[in-house]
Amino acid sequence: MATSLQRNHVEPWPGLSAYPHVFAPLRIGNVALKNRIIMGSMHTGLEDLPDAAERLTAYFVERVRGGVGMIITGGFSPHETSGRGAKLTGSSELPLHRTVTDAVHAADPDVKICMQILHSGPLAHTSACVAPSAVKSRIGRHVPNELDEAGIEEQIEAFVRCAALAEEAGYDGVEIIGSAGYLISTFLVGKTNLRTDRWGGSWENRTRFPLEIVRRTRAAVGPDFLLIFRISAMDMLEGGLAWEEVVSLAKALEAAGVDVVSNHFCWHESFVPTIATMVPRAAFTRVTGRLRHELSVPLITSNRINTPEVAEEVLARGDADLVSLARPMLADPDFAVKALEGRADEINTCIGCNQACLDHTFSGQLTSCLVNARACRETELNYPAVTTPKRIAVVGAGPAGLAFANITAGRGHKVTLFDAADEIGGQINLAKQVPGKEEFYETLRYFGRMIEKEGIDLKLSTYVDAETLVAGGYDEIVIATGIQPRVPAVAGIDHPKAVSYIDVLRGEAAVGERVAIMGAGGIGFDIAEFVTHAGPSSAIDVEVFAKEWGIDFDNHPRGGVTGVTPHVASSGRNVTMMQRKATGLGKSLGRTTGWTHRIKLQRRDVAMLSGVDYVAIDDEGLHLTVNGEPQTIPADTIIVCTGQDSATTLHDELVARGHAPRLIGGASDASELDAKRAIKQASELAAVI
């Protein structure tokens, strides 16, 4: 077998781009890709809307014009047992898909679009779900129905029919997903395939299902129709695939007719984070690099590649032939063209928070993006240029104020942005101090660049009062002054032991060895991470990340994790978190990331109490009741994270003077520190003012 360096070395593009490997063209058979950037598959919810054709078209075309080389759509089901609304199972569904493919090719004939075929298998939200064996997924709703011989044949033919329909619909290819705990992957792993017939048992038998799908699909579609197969190169499962099995499968897929092998790195039920902001950039690409030397076909790598610099490094190292960027295309649809034109500093970087994308997807909401509220709303949230510019004062340079000022100035308004602090960012400047949240520096970098680009008049270290604003003669005044921490009515709250979370994150309050944290919302968990953390952040050190989550990249045991004990470094502090609610701590955290925070703190022996009532603070520590029973938490430091109130004094003073200022962000709603809501609200107001 030829090595990757002999057959598919990425030759740098001879153009003027700072990213020559990223913008090198690639030929796959008779198909030419103009660059190495793939918009990776994301199920957004647009597929399920009544106006799906219009919404999907606008969504994809915007990314086409943004310069991507190829698009892979969100997953479409080949069979009703997948339980997904988005499907391609018959000719009646072709018009939607043809509308999308025609629009993409009209926008740029050089951009290819492939449809992902996804059968959810045991993860389907239907009692009709199927799998090779009746083994319930840890995160599945139902025990799947075990497929019989006829059922397996029916599913294979469904995949083939779906691919043929995709070709008829004008797609340039399909990606068959054989990872993540979906149907195909459950045939491959011994713990989910307990069969003893020709579809289970030996490795040869367990690979029969995906290989039959690929062989028959290749026979059914034309030679120039791209056939991509997504495998779990490291599935992060105890007892998962061995490295030899991964290589064997990839080689067999190549022999069966696959044009490209795409690498995935987990099952959804894995206890290892692979896409959260705490994961280092390009943490898994070395796995793709190893596999690339075993194959002749191009390989796609993915996960936490969010800047053109990282993409360039991955390709230049020889880790892959193509890089898949999914969430970064939500954050900034013009990612590729900005990089190509030397405007990388204008890219609105994906921070891996998952709050508006994957958290929405897995809770049945429409996908969007925390840093780009317009994502997936391209037909309804637009920022047209104004014909009559206004003079607008924005008070507060936190996430709401920054987003509002950027968009309104971009539309042509004259914007003055005030903040009493000596730097922009507001609460983002606190969040970026938390280990694992370093990506917020990118958000501040982006907004700082936009202030320059859009000519916003920034006045830092400037306390502005109502009298000054009125005298300024502004056409509009927008108040984005954020929040102020709530001080609970607890005896002794002014004791020296009691400190605000803000002072802790700013380094203005010393933290002792015994710590009690009052409040267990998002801030409480951030504070617990902050005070228990030791050593480098896992988000910027792959080796630390691997140790924390029990990954062996070097030896690649089964699943990459089998037999490896996680080790989370700790500051050694004795920490107790608590909340008034009787529910488990962390229930309000994001669905796709909350569990990671809980696990890390549990591994650091952080005690978690619910159903508490705070009684008093004194020299002994924090007195409280737990489910009615008195208890004292000995503490050197008691960190108060008991909520916040809107900072609206300036707004009220302006109203008293007869003005009608607008409120956005935390100043409008302080129920949670929520940058997603703040930026969304600011964007919606900026679109119409």
Side-chain angles (χ1 to χ4, degrees):
M1 180 66 67
T3 68
S4 62
L5 293 179
Q6 291 174 314
R7 49 77 179 157
N8 233 346
H9 181 60
V10 180
E11 292 295 337
W13 183 58
L16 299 178
S17 170
Y19 313 103
H21 293 85
V22 169
F23 291 102
L26 175 67
R27 180 166 291 277
I28 307 170
N30 292 324
V31 177
L33 300 184
K34 67 177 185 177
N35 60 47
R36 307 303 179 99
I37 298 178
I38 293 176
M39 176 182 172
S41 175
M42 290 176 286
H43 187 80
T44 62
L46 293 172
E47 303 90 343
D48 304 320
L49 297 177
D51 55 350
E54 179 186 7
R55 299 283 292 270
L56 277 172
T57 295
Y59 167 70
F60 284 130
V61 166
E62 189 156 307
R63 275 79 191 166
V64 170
R65 291 173 177 157
V68 299
M70 182 163 70
I71 290 171
I72 299 177
T73 72
F76 285 88
S77 171
H79 194 274
E80 61 184 9
T81 52
S82 183
R84 301 171 64 84
K87 57 190 177 72
L88 182 53
T89 58
S91 58
S92 63
E93 291 141 2
L94 286 173
L96 164 65
H97 295 271
R98 174 57 77 175
T99 298
V100 170
T101 59
D102 284 350
V104 165
H105 293 139
D108 187 342
D110 292 331
V111 174
K112 309 306 176 186
I113 180 168
C114 298
M115 189 191 80
Q116 187 184 79
I117 305 178
L118 188 160
H119 192 303
S120 302
L123 301 184
H125 295 171
T126 171
S127 59
C129 63
V130 296
S133 302
V135 178
K136 184 180 180 298
S137 167
R138 181 178 65 83
I139 60 172
R141 294 184 181 180
H142 307 280
V143 176
N145 299 284
E146 183 173 314
L147 288 163
D148 58 17
E149 183 78 24
I152 290 175
E153 183 64 28
E154 181 179 333
Q155 295 296 340
I156 293 172
E157 287 304 313
F159 275 91
V160 176
R161 179 175 62 251
C162 187
L165 287 167
E167 185 177 34
E168 185 178 348
Y171 287 103
D172 300 292
V174 293
E175 178 184 75
I176 299 171
I177 183 165
S179 58
Y182 297 130
L183 179 62
I184 292 176
S185 60
T186 58
F187 273 85
L188 295 167
V189 175
K191 64 195 297 183
T192 53
N193 185 347
L194 309 180
R195 305 177 73 96
T196 58
D197 61 3
R198 67 192 187 106
W199 304 100
S202 69
W203 174 242
E204 180 183 3
N205 285 350
R206 284 184 279 132
T207 61
R208 192 184 306 278
F209 185 70
L211 293 177
E212 278 299 305
I213 290 172
V214 170
R215 290 189 191 105
R216 297 191 203 180
T217 299
R218 175 48 73 199
V221 298
D224 296 335
F225 190 69
L226 288 174
L227 189 50
I228 306 168
F229 194 97
R230 194 165 205 202
I231 66 172
S232 288
M234 184 179 275
D235 50 30
M236 307 298 171
L237 286 177
E238 286 281 343
L241 295 182
W243 175 246
E244 294 75 16
E245 292 172 338
V246 172
V247 173
S248 169
L249 174 63
K251 288 182 175 180
L253 289 167
E254 178 179 347
V258 163
D259 296 301
V260 182
V261 172
S262 178
N263 283 198
H264 200 189
F265 301 102
C266 77
W267 280 29
H268 290 309
E269 64 184 73
S270 166
F271 282 109
V272 176
T274 56
I275 52 177
T277 190
M278 66 177 62
V279 178
R281 294 175 177 178
F284 305 100
T285 64
R286 72 172 91 171
V287 181
T288 306
R290 286 180 67 194
L291 186 59
R292 186 170 181 261
H293 286 279
E294 302 285 347
L295 303 177
S296 296
V297 296
L299 270 74
I300 302 170
T301 197
S302 64
N303 289 54
R304 293 287 286 125
I305 301 170
N306 65 342
T307 72
E309 290 79 11
V310 174
E312 179 69 14
E313 290 170 6
V314 167
L315 294 170
R317 264 198 317 265
D319 280 357
D321 301 279
L322 297 146
V323 289
S324 174
L325 288 73
R327 293 170 299 165
M329 292 299 165
L330 293 175
D332 196 330
D334 293 327
F335 180 103
V337 72
K338 286 179 179 178
L340 180 63
E341 295 176 355
R343 298 186 291 124
D345 60 346
E346 296 178 15
I347 293 174
N348 194 1
T349 305
C350 167
I351 60 174
C353 69
N354 295 348
Q355 291 181 35
C357 52
L358 291 170
D359 283 352
H360 280 206
T361 298
F362 289 114
S363 59
Q365 302 177 68
L366 183 68
T367 292
S368 189
C369 177
L370 181 147
V371 300
N372 175 24
R374 191 168 172 273
C376 299
R377 301 177 66 195
E378 290 79 9
T379 61
E380 60 184 27
L381 182 59
N382 289 290
Y383 310 130
V386 296
T387 55
T388 306
K390 292 182 176 181
R391 294 182 63 247
I392 302 175
V394 183
V395 185
L402 288 168
F404 178 86
N406 174 36
I407 295 169
T408 48
R411 295 183 60 211
H413 292 301
K414 305 299 181 183
V415 179
T416 302
L417 177 60
F418 299 92
D419 201 289
D422 60 1
E423 60 181 343
I424 65 170
Q427 294 286 322
I428 293 178
N429 289 310
L430 300 180
K432 74 185 185 185
Q433 303 301 326
V434 179
K437 292 193 171 183
E438 291 84 357
E439 289 287 10
F440 276 111
Y441 281 96
E442 289 289 347
T443 302
L444 296 178
R445 184 268 315 152
Y446 167 73
F447 278 125
R449 177 67 184 99
M450 290 300 101
I451 287 170
E452 297 174 357
K453 180 176 183 290
E454 302 298 350
I456 296 168
D457 184 10
L458 176 64
K459 296 184 180 298
L460 295 174
S461 303
T462 303
Y463 177 82
V464 62
D465 56 20
E467 182 177 352
T468 302
L469 290 171
V470 171
Y474 295 101
D475 300 307
E476 298 278 358
I477 300 173
V478 176
I479 306 300
T481 44
I483 59 90
Q484 52 195 13
R486 183 179 301 141
V487 180
V490 176
I493 192 65
D494 57 350
H495 192 281
K497 288 178 181 280
V499 298
S500 165
Y501 71 88
I502 290 180
D503 292 337
V504 171
L505 291 174
R506 285 177 176 167
E508 297 173 357
V511 178
E513 294 302 307
R514 299 174 302 169
V515 180
I517 301 174
M518 298 171 62
I523 299 171
F525 271 83
D526 279 351
I527 285 293
E529 171 65 29
F530 186 79
V531 301
T532 60
H533 182 85
S537 168
S538 66
I540 57 176
D541 191 314
V542 174
E543 299 308 318
V544 171
F545 171 74
K547 288 180 181 178
E548 284 191 351
W549 296 100
I551 308 168
D552 186 345
F553 283 114
D554 295 326
N555 299 303
H556 201 128
R558 284 195 171 274
V561 297
T562 301
V564 185
T565 302
H567 174 72
V568 180
S570 173
S571 66
R573 289 191 173 102
N574 185 318
V575 177
T576 302
M577 294 179 67
M578 61 206 77
Q579 66 179 20
R580 287 193 171 98
K581 295 177 182 178
T583 56
L585 275 66
K587 293 293 186 182
S588 63
L589 301 179
R591 183 167 180 176
T592 59
T593 56
W595 62 272
T596 65
H597 302 300
R598 290 191 292 269
I599 287 178
K600 285 184 72 174
L601 295 183
Q602 288 165 1
R603 290 174 179 169
R604 290 177 180 152
D605 296 321
V606 172
M608 299 186 184
L609 302 177
S610 60
V612 309
D613 188 20
Y614 307 117
V615 176
I617 297 171
D618 60 22
D619 290 344
E620 292 184 47
L622 176 60
H623 300 274
L624 45 83
T625 62
V626 182
N627 297 317
E629 296 294 323
Q631 188 171 332
T632 298
I633 307 295
D636 306 308
T637 307
I638 299 163
I639 306 175
V640 182
C641 311
T642 51
Q644 50 279 327
D645 296 311
S646 296
T648 59
T649 301
L650 180 58
H651 170 271
D652 297 342
E653 291 175 353
L654 287 165
V655 170
R657 290 171 176 262
H659 290 263
R662 319 279 191 129
L663 277 174
I664 57 174
S668 172
D669 185 351
S671 58
E672 285 284 345
L673 286 183
D674 190 345
K676 176 183 72 172
R677 184 182 62 228
I679 291 175
K680 177 176 181 289
Q681 185 184 42
S683 301
E684 291 171 346
L685 178 60
V688 298
I689 201 165

